[in-house]
Amino acid sequence: MKGNIVVGQSGGPTAVINSSVAGVFSAAKKLGVKKIYGMVHGIQGFLQDNLIDLGEYLDDETGIELLKRTPSAFLGSCRFKMPKIEGHEDVYEKVFEIMEKHDIECLFYAGGNDSMDTVKMLSDYAAAHNKPQRFMGVPKTIDNDLPITDHCPGYGSAAKYIAASLKEIIRDNESFGVEKPTVCIVEIMGRNAGWLTAAAALAKGEDCSGVDAIYLPERVFDMDKFMATVKHLAETKSSVVIAVSEGIHVADGKYVCELANENVAVDAFGHKQMSGTAAFLAAQVAAETGLKTRAVEFSTLQRAATHMASLTDINEAFQVGHDAVVAAEEGKTGMMITLDRNGDDPYQCGTSAYDIHAIANVERPVPDEWITEDGIGLNEGYEKYARPLIMGELQPLYVNGLPRHLVRK
Amino acid sequence: MKGNIVVGQSGGPTAVINSSVAGVFSAAKKLGVKKIYGMVHGIQGFLQDNLIDLGEYLDDETGIELLKRTPSAFLGSCRFKMPKIEGHEDVYEKVFEIMEKHDIECLFYAGGNDSMDTVKMLSDYAAAHNKPQRFMGVPKTIDNDLPITDHCPGYGSAAKYIAASLKEIIRDNESFGVEKPTVCIVEIMGRNAGWLTAAAALAKGEDCSGVDAIYLPERVFDMDKFMATVKHLAETKSSVVIAVSEGIHVADGKYVCELANENVAVDAFGHKQMSGTAAFLAAQVAAETGLKTRAVEFSTLQRAATHMASLTDINEAFQVGHDAVVAAEEGKTGMMITLDRNGDDPYQCGTSAYDIHAIANVERPVPDEWITEDGIGLNEGYEKYARPLIMGELQPLYVNGLPRHLVRK
């Protein structure tokens, strides 16, 4: 590559999105790229020419290792949606103007569905206007809902955090329960796809009986059936722990969290901001059964807990960043790097580059065949798929008793 | 010791309460005690003669090491309050009857204020009725509110989890904030004492600007002042993260969580079950400022996250269990083991045995002199006190990608 490159991060952070930046940086450095820029706060910051020189932070291997252990988006993120091209050519021209100003040959963008739309729009614009600049997508989303790729970097670490925390919560909940069980309802992220909530199934093992029911947004939520299930569990068990997706909805399409609060806020992409599903259900169960209930929301922690990241996930996040640069070097543009599973035992995974048009704005739900017949559990198909993704650990660097992070000056 | 012993766990679990059981077991084994029993579900289970032989689980060092890495109460816990002696002599006689049946010479009870009351009542009864059995308290509470002892086992690990998780949350919250900041309000346990919430101050360091305000139950909460502070922070910062205790209350004594929900449930000890303070405040801020808000409750996780336990805390929890047995061997009864700090640099801590009457039912708040003048921060006095307590780590044993725990058969 003769020119420089820039990498950005977009959308909700993950525990390993910084490993993708590390991967982009490492590959570009190997290729002798002179300046490796980072855009501060994604394409929104890029439009304001807000760039940093990553070489100032990652000039030695210690910097790379610390970046891998740093949660959230090191470069800052954004939820900026590129406007449609017609009538907004100025916004697009601005992007290319800034790229030319810094001699940037290729732009790498790590993100989920919405961010891949940005890559698509920019590469479409470049193609339509004969611009030489290239645009590559680097997959990242705890939601694991990008199509084509076997899974998404960020998911394995979120799944590991969810399963590990649920094991701790189950143990805590089991410690009482001499007379009547406490019903603990745990709310997990995932607007339309239940991948994260499905990870609750991974808590089960030799030393843990697991959660008692898992409610995914892939199935319509029925309050009467839910209440009957809870009552049955409370009669037969000394501890009840239930995982629910924030995105569960009743038959008319209304989210359960909207049953509690009609005025749910909406973000820049028109997505409703979910919260309060577990608290609402816990209150309903307490009122109807008189049992003690507890609502837990993993909230931000499930996407920020780099201290519990999966090493497999960290390595794959690094790999997709690295291989995006390799693909761009080969002249590719308008593509996203996918993870392609080659084997389960032992687990093996490669990468390839795939046309962004097949990926942007497409959401992939949990496959039907992995959901148990009663609709509130996952079977061994999911276990086989997900377990390898949570394997391995990268010990944080502890300073003064806490994990140390890399920060922008 | 000629007879056998029994150890129990009571009240809310901590990340390290099992290390105290390990300490009791190890000391008793060294002394040649034949049977080391564990009571299942505390004194409530003991009254039903529900005992296990700890030797079956801890006969090798691997068992001990796994127990140290196991969250929650391995033996099960309870919230059972011993009735007053007058009119309930039968309950007390039952305890001694079961002790005699199993030739139990000494009972060790790990817990907080309420549990130390159980130790006091039983040792008082023994003294009044010339019973030879001995009773020793082993301190345990994430709340850190026991008097006399410098600090309580369980606190350091909860503080470490809170500070480490807040660093991750702050990073996540900072990743956006291009235009307007998100106001994130984090609710932390602690009914009357703000020790756990104070731990939010430990997040601050070279790589983290820390939380922006800390609201302790030691200070009356004023909604107008709170709102003015939030508005000021939102005008001057690109990210606002605020820590609040679940126990904050307004001038007339009403808890903030009661402002949202009048019908707060009450547990066996008459303590109100707190929750929803952060959600209530976040909704108030959103309504008054129009800013995006987020409410996070650490909930159960702050007392169950053994994967993030402090090694200092694990070792001290082990030590107080161990030294309770040594004190009992010396003939002591009706006492609790205290942690006595001997130095800060380097940190050094010993133990002694202290009369349980001075400890049971007494709550120690955060000292006034460690709270900043504005009432929403902690000063270097707290830092000096708390930092040593979160130092060190004990790596979990990972099996299939998750921390492995020891379980009762």
mmCIF file of all heavy atoms in Angstrom, chain B residues 279-323:
data_model
loop_
_atom_site.group_PDB
_atom_site.id
_atom_site.type_symbol
_atom_site.label_atom_id
_atom_site.label_comp_id
_atom_site.label_asym_id
_atom_site.label_seq_id
_atom_site.Cartn_x
_atom_site.Cartn_y
_atom_site.Cartn_z
ATOM 1 N N ALA B 279 -32.622 3.711 38.705
ATOM 2 C CA ALA B 279 -33.627 3.813 37.639
ATOM 3 C C ALA B 279 -34.511 5.032 37.870
ATOM 4 O O ALA B 279 -34.828 5.781 36.935
ATOM 5 C CB ALA B 279 -34.467 2.542 37.583
ATOM 6 N N PHE B 280 -34.886 5.250 39.117
ATOM 7 C CA PHE B 280 -35.722 6.404 39.452
ATOM 8 C C PHE B 280 -34.981 7.709 39.149
ATOM 9 O O PHE B 280 -35.512 8.610 38.481
ATOM 10 C CB PHE B 280 -36.122 6.330 40.934
ATOM 11 C CG PHE B 280 -36.826 7.561 41.434
ATOM 12 C CD1 PHE B 280 -38.124 7.851 41.024
ATOM 13 C CD2 PHE B 280 -36.193 8.427 42.317
ATOM 14 C CE1 PHE B 280 -38.780 8.993 41.485
ATOM 15 C CE2 PHE B 280 -36.845 9.567 42.782
ATOM 16 C CZ PHE B 280 -38.140 9.844 42.361
ATOM 17 N N LEU B 281 -33.730 7.811 39.613
ATOM 18 C CA LEU B 281 -32.966 9.045 39.397
ATOM 19 C C LEU B 281 -32.682 9.276 37.911
ATOM 20 O O LEU B 281 -32.739 10.410 37.429
ATOM 21 C CB LEU B 281 -31.653 9.005 40.191
ATOM 22 C CG LEU B 281 -31.809 9.076 41.718
ATOM 23 C CD1 LEU B 281 -30.446 8.919 42.391
ATOM 24 C CD2 LEU B 281 -32.485 10.368 42.158
ATOM 25 N N ALA B 282 -32.386 8.186 37.184
ATOM 26 C CA ALA B 282 -32.114 8.318 35.743
ATOM 27 C C ALA B 282 -33.360 8.842 35.020
ATOM 28 O O ALA B 282 -33.262 9.696 34.134
ATOM 29 C CB ALA B 282 -31.677 6.972 35.166
ATOM 30 N N ALA B 283 -34.514 8.352 35.416
ATOM 31 C CA ALA B 283 -35.764 8.811 34.789
ATOM 32 C C ALA B 283 -36.009 10.281 35.119
ATOM 33 O O ALA B 283 -36.434 11.063 34.254
ATOM 34 C CB ALA B 283 -36.934 7.949 35.263
ATOM 35 N N GLN B 284 -35.696 10.679 36.352
ATOM 36 C CA GLN B 284 -35.871 12.083 36.749
ATOM 37 C C GLN B 284 -34.948 13.002 35.932
ATOM 38 O O GLN B 284 -35.360 14.054 35.457
ATOM 39 C CB GLN B 284 -35.541 12.268 38.244
ATOM 40 C CG GLN B 284 -36.442 11.534 39.205
ATOM 41 C CD GLN B 284 -37.842 12.137 39.254
ATOM 42 O OE1 GLN B 284 -38.818 11.526 38.822
ATOM 43 N NE2 GLN B 284 -37.952 13.350 39.766
ATOM 44 N N VAL B 285 -33.694 12.561 35.785
ATOM 45 C CA VAL B 285 -32.721 13.361 35.032
ATOM 46 C C VAL B 285 -33.144 13.464 33.569
ATOM 47 O O VAL B 285 -33.101 14.546 32.969
ATOM 48 C CB VAL B 285 -31.295 12.755 35.140
ATOM 49 C CG1 VAL B 285 -30.335 13.418 34.167
ATOM 50 C CG2 VAL B 285 -30.771 12.877 36.572
ATOM 51 N N ALA B 286 -33.571 12.342 32.988
ATOM 52 C CA ALA B 286 -33.994 12.342 31.580
ATOM 53 C C ALA B 286 -35.178 13.290 31.394
ATOM 54 O O ALA B 286 -35.226 14.076 30.444
ATOM 55 C CB ALA B 286 -34.364 10.925 31.148
ATOM 56 N N ALA B 287 -36.116 13.241 32.319
ATOM 57 C CA ALA B 287 -37.317 14.075 32.198
ATOM 58 C C ALA B 287 -36.958 15.556 32.328
ATOM 59 O O ALA B 287 -37.487 16.399 31.616
ATOM 60 C CB ALA B 287 -38.335 13.670 33.262
ATOM 61 N N GLU B 288 -36.035 15.872 33.226
ATOM 62 C CA GLU B 288 -35.746 17.287 33.486
ATOM 63 C C GLU B 288 -34.713 17.882 32.525
ATOM 64 O O GLU B 288 -34.731 19.087 32.265
ATOM 65 C CB GLU B 288 -35.280 17.465 34.934
ATOM 66 C CG GLU B 288 -35.263 18.929 35.326
ATOM 67 C CD GLU B 288 -35.423 19.160 36.824
ATOM 68 O OE1 GLU B 288 -36.120 18.370 37.486
ATOM 69 O OE2 GLU B 288 -34.846 20.145 37.317
ATOM 70 N N THR B 289 -33.810 17.043 31.998
ATOM 71 C CA THR B 289 -32.749 17.605 31.154
ATOM 72 C C THR B 289 -32.867 17.200 29.688
ATOM 73 O O THR B 289 -32.237 17.813 28.836
ATOM 74 C CB THR B 289 -31.364 17.123 31.637
ATOM 75 O OG1 THR B 289 -31.294 15.697 31.436
ATOM 76 C CG2 THR B 289 -31.138 17.443 33.099
ATOM 77 N N GLY B 290 -33.617 16.144 29.411
ATOM 78 C CA GLY B 290 -33.700 15.646 28.043
ATOM 79 C C GLY B 290 -32.471 14.857 27.627
ATOM 80 O O GLY B 290 -32.365 14.381 26.495
ATOM 81 N N LEU B 291 -31.513 14.707 28.540
ATOM 82 C CA LEU B 291 -30.299 13.949 28.217
ATOM 83 C C LEU B 291 -30.592 12.458 28.197
ATOM 84 O O LEU B 291 -31.520 11.973 28.851
ATOM 85 C CB LEU B 291 -29.219 14.221 29.276
ATOM 86 C CG LEU B 291 -28.634 15.633 29.298
ATOM 87 C CD1 LEU B 291 -27.776 15.823 30.546
ATOM 88 C CD2 LEU B 291 -27.804 15.880 28.037
ATOM 89 N N LYS B 292 -29.778 11.723 27.443
ATOM 90 C CA LYS B 292 -29.865 10.276 27.482
ATOM 91 C C LYS B 292 -29.305 9.814 28.831
ATOM 92 O O LYS B 292 -28.266 10.310 29.284
ATOM 93 C CB LYS B 292 -29.052 9.662 26.333
ATOM 94 C CG LYS B 292 -29.178 8.155 26.278
ATOM 95 C CD LYS B 292 -28.524 7.543 25.055
ATOM 96 C CE LYS B 292 -28.523 6.023 25.200
ATOM 97 N NZ LYS B 292 -27.863 5.348 24.081
ATOM 98 N N THR B 293 -30.025 8.907 29.468
ATOM 99 C CA THR B 293 -29.550 8.408 30.754
ATOM 100 C C THR B 293 -29.494 6.888 30.714
ATOM 101 O O THR B 293 -30.105 6.256 29.858
ATOM 102 C CB THR B 293 -30.479 8.824 31.911
ATOM 103 O OG1 THR B 293 -31.778 8.285 31.678
ATOM 104 C CG2 THR B 293 -30.567 10.336 32.036
ATOM 105 N N ARG B 294 -28.748 6.347 31.651
ATOM 106 C CA ARG B 294 -28.648 4.898 31.778
ATOM 107 C C ARG B 294 -28.554 4.574 33.259
ATOM 108 O O ARG B 294 -27.848 5.266 33.995
ATOM 109 C CB ARG B 294 -27.396 4.404 31.057
ATOM 110 C CG ARG B 294 -27.237 2.919 30.995
ATOM 111 C CD ARG B 294 -25.935 2.549 30.317
ATOM 112 N NE ARG B 294 -25.952 2.688 28.874
ATOM 113 C CZ ARG B 294 -26.481 1.787 28.038
ATOM 114 N NH1 ARG B 294 -27.051 0.694 28.500
ATOM 115 N NH2 ARG B 294 -26.441 1.980 26.738
ATOM 116 N N ALA B 295 -29.302 3.574 33.691
ATOM 117 C CA ALA B 295 -29.237 3.141 35.085
ATOM 118 C C ALA B 295 -28.590 1.766 35.138
ATOM 119 O O ALA B 295 -28.954 0.875 34.376
ATOM 120 C CB ALA B 295 -30.628 3.080 35.689
ATOM 121 N N VAL B 296 -27.618 1.619 36.012
ATOM 122 C CA VAL B 296 -26.959 0.325 36.201
ATOM 123 C C VAL B 296 -27.066 -0.043 37.675
ATOM 124 O O VAL B 296 -26.806 0.793 38.544
ATOM 125 C CB VAL B 296 -25.463 0.389 35.798
ATOM 126 C CG1 VAL B 296 -24.772 -0.936 36.072
ATOM 127 C CG2 VAL B 296 -25.308 0.783 34.333
ATOM 128 N N GLU B 297 -27.472 -1.287 37.948
ATOM 129 C CA GLU B 297 -27.456 -1.799 39.327
ATOM 130 C C GLU B 297 -26.487 -2.966 39.367
ATOM 131 O O GLU B 297 -26.660 -3.926 38.625
ATOM 132 C CB GLU B 297 -28.848 -2.327 39.710
ATOM 133 C CG GLU B 297 -29.750 -1.338 40.382
ATOM 134 C CD GLU B 297 -31.009 -2.009 40.946
ATOM 135 O OE1 GLU B 297 -30.894 -2.940 41.748
ATOM 136 O OE2 GLU B 297 -32.106 -1.582 40.550
ATOM 137 N N PHE B 298 -25.487 -2.899 40.242
ATOM 138 C CA PHE B 298 -24.555 -4.026 40.325
ATOM 139 C C PHE B 298 -25.250 -5.249 40.919
ATOM 140 O O PHE B 298 -24.867 -6.370 40.656
ATOM 141 C CB PHE B 298 -23.313 -3.673 41.142
ATOM 142 C CG PHE B 298 -22.360 -2.790 40.406
ATOM 143 C CD1 PHE B 298 -21.708 -1.751 41.042
ATOM 144 C CD2 PHE B 298 -22.100 -2.996 39.070
ATOM 145 C CE1 PHE B 298 -20.809 -0.945 40.370
ATOM 146 C CE2 PHE B 298 -21.204 -2.193 38.376
ATOM 147 C CZ PHE B 298 -20.560 -1.167 39.036
ATOM 148 N N SER B 299 -26.247 -4.995 41.739
ATOM 149 C CA SER B 299 -27.088 -6.066 42.262
ATOM 150 C C SER B 299 -26.250 -7.192 42.861
ATOM 151 O O SER B 299 -25.210 -6.951 43.448
ATOM 152 C CB SER B 299 -27.997 -6.562 41.119
ATOM 153 O OG SER B 299 -28.972 -7.421 41.616
ATOM 154 N N THR B 300 -26.716 -8.413 42.690
ATOM 155 C CA THR B 300 -26.063 -9.592 43.249
ATOM 156 C C THR B 300 -24.589 -9.699 42.883
ATOM 157 O O THR B 300 -23.789 -10.252 43.639
ATOM 158 C CB THR B 300 -26.768 -10.847 42.698
ATOM 159 O OG1 THR B 300 -28.178 -10.674 42.856
ATOM 160 C CG2 THR B 300 -26.348 -12.086 43.427
ATOM 161 N N LEU B 301 -24.240 -9.199 41.710
ATOM 162 C CA LEU B 301 -22.885 -9.425 41.199
ATOM 163 C C LEU B 301 -21.805 -8.902 42.136
ATOM 164 O O LEU B 301 -20.741 -9.491 42.266
ATOM 165 C CB LEU B 301 -22.737 -8.785 39.821
ATOM 166 C CG LEU B 301 -23.580 -9.462 38.723
ATOM 167 C CD1 LEU B 301 -23.660 -8.592 37.489
ATOM 168 C CD2 LEU B 301 -23.006 -10.829 38.393
ATOM 169 N N GLN B 302 -22.084 -7.783 42.820
ATOM 170 C CA GLN B 302 -21.053 -7.198 43.668
ATOM 171 C C GLN B 302 -20.700 -8.065 44.870
ATOM 172 O O GLN B 302 -19.644 -7.897 45.466
ATOM 173 C CB GLN B 302 -21.445 -5.784 44.115
ATOM 174 C CG GLN B 302 -22.685 -5.698 44.968
ATOM 175 C CD GLN B 302 -23.384 -4.343 44.881
ATOM 176 O OE1 GLN B 302 -22.863 -3.356 45.339
ATOM 177 N NE2 GLN B 302 -24.551 -4.316 44.304
ATOM 178 N N ARG B 303 -21.549 -8.998 45.225
ATOM 179 C CA ARG B 303 -21.208 -9.872 46.353
ATOM 180 C C ARG B 303 -20.880 -11.291 45.892
ATOM 181 O O ARG B 303 -20.533 -12.137 46.710
ATOM 182 C CB ARG B 303 -22.344 -9.899 47.382
ATOM 183 C CG ARG B 303 -23.586 -10.639 46.936
ATOM 184 C CD ARG B 303 -24.670 -10.526 47.996
ATOM 185 N NE ARG B 303 -25.782 -11.409 47.689
ATOM 186 C CZ ARG B 303 -27.000 -11.280 48.191
ATOM 187 N NH1 ARG B 303 -27.260 -10.290 49.012
ATOM 188 N NH2 ARG B 303 -27.950 -12.125 47.883
ATOM 189 N N ALA B 304 -21.019 -11.550 44.588
ATOM 190 C CA ALA B 304 -20.847 -12.919 44.099
ATOM 191 C C ALA B 304 -19.684 -13.076 43.121
ATOM 192 O O ALA B 304 -19.375 -14.188 42.719
ATOM 193 C CB ALA B 304 -22.140 -13.386 43.428
ATOM 194 N N ALA B 305 -19.051 -11.962 42.757
ATOM 195 C CA ALA B 305 -18.061 -12.022 41.675
ATOM 196 C C ALA B 305 -16.703 -12.496 42.176
ATOM 197 O O ALA B 305 -15.722 -11.745 42.190
ATOM 198 C CB ALA B 305 -17.958 -10.669 40.983
ATOM 199 N N THR B 306 -16.627 -13.747 42.553
ATOM 200 C CA THR B 306 -15.375 -14.305 43.057
ATOM 201 C C THR B 306 -14.295 -14.302 41.979
ATOM 202 O O THR B 306 -13.108 -14.305 42.289
ATOM 203 C CB THR B 306 -15.615 -15.726 43.600
ATOM 204 O OG1 THR B 306 -16.616 -15.637 44.628
ATOM 205 C CG2 THR B 306 -14.361 -16.331 44.211
ATOM 206 N N HIS B 307 -14.699 -14.255 40.720
ATOM 207 C CA HIS B 307 -13.685 -14.246 39.652
ATOM 208 C C HIS B 307 -12.840 -12.967 39.713
ATOM 209 O O HIS B 307 -11.774 -12.905 39.118
ATOM 210 C CB HIS B 307 -14.347 -14.393 38.268
ATOM 211 C CG HIS B 307 -15.000 -13.154 37.749
ATOM 212 N ND1 HIS B 307 -16.341 -12.878 37.936
ATOM 213 C CD2 HIS B 307 -14.501 -12.113 37.064
ATOM 214 C CE1 HIS B 307 -16.620 -11.717 37.372
ATOM 215 N NE2 HIS B 307 -15.532 -11.235 36.833
ATOM 216 N N MET B 308 -13.343 -11.941 40.409
ATOM 217 C CA MET B 308 -12.627 -10.663 40.528
ATOM 218 C C MET B 308 -12.256 -10.402 41.995
ATOM 219 O O MET B 308 -12.070 -9.268 42.412
ATOM 220 C CB MET B 308 -13.545 -9.584 39.954
ATOM 221 C CG MET B 308 -13.082 -8.145 39.947
ATOM 222 S SD MET B 308 -11.455 -7.829 39.291
ATOM 223 C CE MET B 308 -11.834 -7.605 37.561
ATOM 224 N N ALA B 309 -12.151 -11.452 42.794
ATOM 225 C CA ALA B 309 -11.866 -11.279 44.222
ATOM 226 C C ALA B 309 -10.464 -10.721 44.444
ATOM 227 O O ALA B 309 -9.561 -10.900 43.627
ATOM 228 C CB ALA B 309 -12.020 -12.611 44.943
ATOM 229 N N SER B 310 -10.299 -10.037 45.562
ATOM 230 C CA SER B 310 -8.999 -9.518 45.984
ATOM 231 C C SER B 310 -8.258 -10.619 46.733
ATOM 232 O O SER B 310 -8.804 -11.246 47.641
ATOM 233 C CB SER B 310 -9.241 -8.320 46.909
ATOM 234 O OG SER B 310 -8.218 -8.217 47.882
ATOM 235 N N LEU B 311 -7.010 -10.845 46.360
ATOM 236 C CA LEU B 311 -6.216 -11.878 47.034
ATOM 237 C C LEU B 311 -5.985 -11.514 48.504
ATOM 238 O O LEU B 311 -5.998 -12.384 49.377
ATOM 239 C CB LEU B 311 -4.886 -12.082 46.312
ATOM 240 C CG LEU B 311 -3.969 -13.161 46.898
ATOM 241 C CD1 LEU B 311 -4.655 -14.519 46.912
ATOM 242 C CD2 LEU B 311 -2.655 -13.242 46.123
ATOM 243 N N THR B 312 -5.807 -10.223 48.766
ATOM 244 C CA THR B 312 -5.669 -9.763 50.149
ATOM 245 C C THR B 312 -6.905 -10.179 50.948
ATOM 246 O O THR B 312 -6.805 -10.698 52.066
ATOM 247 C CB THR B 312 -5.528 -8.228 50.172
ATOM 248 O OG1 THR B 312 -4.384 -7.866 49.410
ATOM 249 C CG2 THR B 312 -5.388 -7.697 51.593
ATOM 250 N N ASP B 313 -8.071 -9.971 50.354
ATOM 251 C CA ASP B 313 -9.335 -10.307 51.001
ATOM 252 C C ASP B 313 -9.472 -11.818 51.210
ATOM 253 O O ASP B 313 -9.861 -12.283 52.287
ATOM 254 C CB ASP B 313 -10.467 -9.778 50.111
ATOM 255 C CG ASP B 313 -11.805 -9.731 50.809
ATOM 256 O OD1 ASP B 313 -11.832 -9.680 52.055
ATOM 257 O OD2 ASP B 313 -12.834 -9.740 50.103
ATOM 258 N N ILE B 314 -9.120 -12.581 50.194
ATOM 259 C CA ILE B 314 -9.189 -14.050 50.301
ATOM 260 C C ILE B 314 -8.294 -14.526 51.446
ATOM 261 O O ILE B 314 -8.708 -15.332 52.285
ATOM 262 C CB ILE B 314 -8.757 -14.706 48.964
ATOM 263 C CG1 ILE B 314 -9.853 -14.504 47.901
ATOM 264 C CG2 ILE B 314 -8.449 -16.191 49.145
ATOM 265 C CD1 ILE B 314 -9.474 -14.992 46.520
ATOM 266 N N ASN B 315 -7.084 -13.988 51.488
ATOM 267 C CA ASN B 315 -6.146 -14.414 52.537
ATOM 268 C C ASN B 315 -6.627 -14.016 53.926
ATOM 269 O O ASN B 315 -6.484 -14.767 54.886
ATOM 270 C CB ASN B 315 -4.757 -13.823 52.270
ATOM 271 C CG ASN B 315 -4.072 -14.488 51.085
ATOM 272 O OD1 ASN B 315 -4.448 -15.597 50.683
ATOM 273 N ND2 ASN B 315 -3.102 -13.820 50.505
ATOM 274 N N GLU B 316 -7.216 -12.812 54.023
ATOM 275 C CA GLU B 316 -7.683 -12.375 55.339
ATOM 276 C C GLU B 316 -8.942 -13.132 55.768
ATOM 277 O O GLU B 316 -9.125 -13.420 56.951
ATOM 278 C CB GLU B 316 -7.932 -10.861 55.325
ATOM 279 C CG GLU B 316 -6.624 -10.081 55.204
ATOM 280 C CD GLU B 316 -6.799 -8.573 55.196
ATOM 281 O OE1 GLU B 316 -7.932 -8.089 55.006
ATOM 282 O OE2 GLU B 316 -5.784 -7.868 55.372
ATOM 283 N N ALA B 317 -9.800 -13.457 54.807
ATOM 284 C CA ALA B 317 -10.987 -14.264 55.134
ATOM 285 C C ALA B 317 -10.550 -15.629 55.657
ATOM 286 O O ALA B 317 -11.121 -16.167 56.615
ATOM 287 C CB ALA B 317 -11.869 -14.418 53.897
ATOM 288 N N PHE B 318 -9.525 -16.187 55.026
ATOM 289 C CA PHE B 318 -8.953 -17.465 55.478
ATOM 290 C C PHE B 318 -8.389 -17.311 56.892
ATOM 291 O O PHE B 318 -8.653 -18.119 57.779
ATOM 292 C CB PHE B 318 -7.850 -17.890 54.497
ATOM 293 C CG PHE B 318 -7.270 -19.247 54.751
ATOM 294 C CD1 PHE B 318 -7.783 -20.367 54.111
ATOM 295 C CD2 PHE B 318 -6.204 -19.414 55.631
ATOM 296 C CE1 PHE B 318 -7.246 -21.633 54.347
ATOM 297 C CE2 PHE B 318 -5.666 -20.668 55.874
ATOM 298 C CZ PHE B 318 -6.179 -21.786 55.232
ATOM 299 N N GLN B 319 -7.659 -16.217 57.087
ATOM 300 C CA GLN B 319 -6.992 -15.967 58.368
ATOM 301 C C GLN B 319 -7.990 -15.856 59.525
ATOM 302 O O GLN B 319 -7.772 -16.440 60.589
ATOM 303 C CB GLN B 319 -6.172 -14.666 58.265
ATOM 304 C CG GLN B 319 -5.199 -14.432 59.399
ATOM 305 C CD GLN B 319 -4.011 -15.384 59.320
ATOM 306 O OE1 GLN B 319 -3.512 -15.660 58.240
ATOM 307 N NE2 GLN B 319 -3.585 -15.897 60.462
ATOM 308 N N VAL B 320 -9.072 -15.100 59.341
ATOM 309 C CA VAL B 320 -10.028 -14.936 60.462
ATOM 310 C C VAL B 320 -10.705 -16.256 60.795
ATOM 311 O O VAL B 320 -10.987 -16.538 61.972
ATOM 312 C CB VAL B 320 -11.076 -13.820 60.196
ATOM 313 C CG1 VAL B 320 -10.414 -12.440 60.185
ATOM 314 C CG2 VAL B 320 -11.883 -14.059 58.929
ATOM 315 N N GLY B 321 -10.947 -17.087 59.780
ATOM 316 C CA GLY B 321 -11.499 -18.422 60.043
ATOM 317 C C GLY B 321 -10.495 -19.259 60.819
ATOM 318 O O GLY B 321 -10.818 -19.893 61.842
ATOM 319 N N HIS B 322 -9.262 -19.238 60.338
ATOM 320 C CA HIS B 322 -8.175 -19.977 60.979
ATOM 321 C C HIS B 322 -7.997 -19.540 62.426
ATOM 322 O O HIS B 322 -7.953 -20.366 63.354
ATOM 323 C CB HIS B 322 -6.891 -19.730 60.168
ATOM 324 C CG HIS B 322 -5.666 -20.407 60.695
ATOM 325 N ND1 HIS B 322 -4.944 -19.915 61.764
ATOM 326 C CD2 HIS B 322 -5.047 -21.543 60.312
ATOM 327 C CE1 HIS B 322 -3.934 -20.727 62.003
ATOM 328 N NE2 HIS B 322 -3.969 -21.724 61.134
ATOM 329 N N ASP B 323 -7.935 -18.225 62.656
ATOM 330 C CA ASP B 323 -7.622 -17.711 63.985
ATOM 331 C C ASP B 323 -8.800 -17.843 64.953
ATOM 332 O O ASP B 323 -8.607 -17.841 66.174
ATOM 333 C CB ASP B 323 -7.154 -16.253 63.894
ATOM 334 C CG ASP B 323 -5.792 -16.158 63.187
ATOM 335 O OD1 ASP B 323 -5.243 -17.218 62.814
ATOM 336 O OD2 ASP B 323 -5.287 -15.046 63.004
#
